[in-house]
Amino acid sequence: NGVLGLMNNRKIPKMIDDQSFTITQTYNLRPDLLAFDLYGDPGLWWVFANRNPNQIADPLGDFVTGITIYLPKQSTLKNVLGI
């Protein structure tokens, strides 16, 4: 339906073990798909924008092929968000 859900504005800390990732065509404009593939929950799409505010000002419009972002590990989200 084109709706990702609410953006949760929580700080995601930078960690030394965050993984660098260049958005591929598979995930172009689809942070929900990447969140599902990484964390098993498409509702965590907002994590990428919160962790990468300099690369992703618009959580959907800036999530495009070729942009390199940092991906927090699932253990980081568990510790920070309690999930």
Side-chain angles (χ1 to χ4, degrees), residues 60-75:
L60 182 58
D62 291 342
F63 206 86
V64 294
T65 302
I67 299 295
T68 299
I69 61 173
Y70 288 99
L71 306 175
K73 292 178 75 173
Q74 191 165 15
S75 60

Side-chain angles (χ1 to χ4, degrees), residues 8-71:
N8 192 334
N9 212 6
R10 295 190 53 193
K11 181 136 174 77
I12 306 297
K14 297 177 183 178
M15 305 293 282
I16 195 162
D17 60 354
D18 286 348
Q19 179 183 356
S20 177
F21 175 77
T22 301
I23 299 170
T24 62
Q25 186 61 37
T26 301
Y27 301 112
N28 187 60
L29 300 175
R30 294 300 306 268
D32 58 324
L33 293 181
L34 183 58
F36 179 78
D37 287 349
L38 289 177
Y39 310 124
D41 184 349
L44 293 174
W45 63 270
W46 54 268
V47 164
F48 309 123
N50 286 4
R51 171 57 185 86
N52 299 278
N54 293 330
Q55 293 83 7
I56 304 175
D58 175 349
L60 182 58
D62 291 342
F63 206 86
V64 294
T65 302
I67 299 295
T68 299
I69 61 173
Y70 288 99
L71 306 175

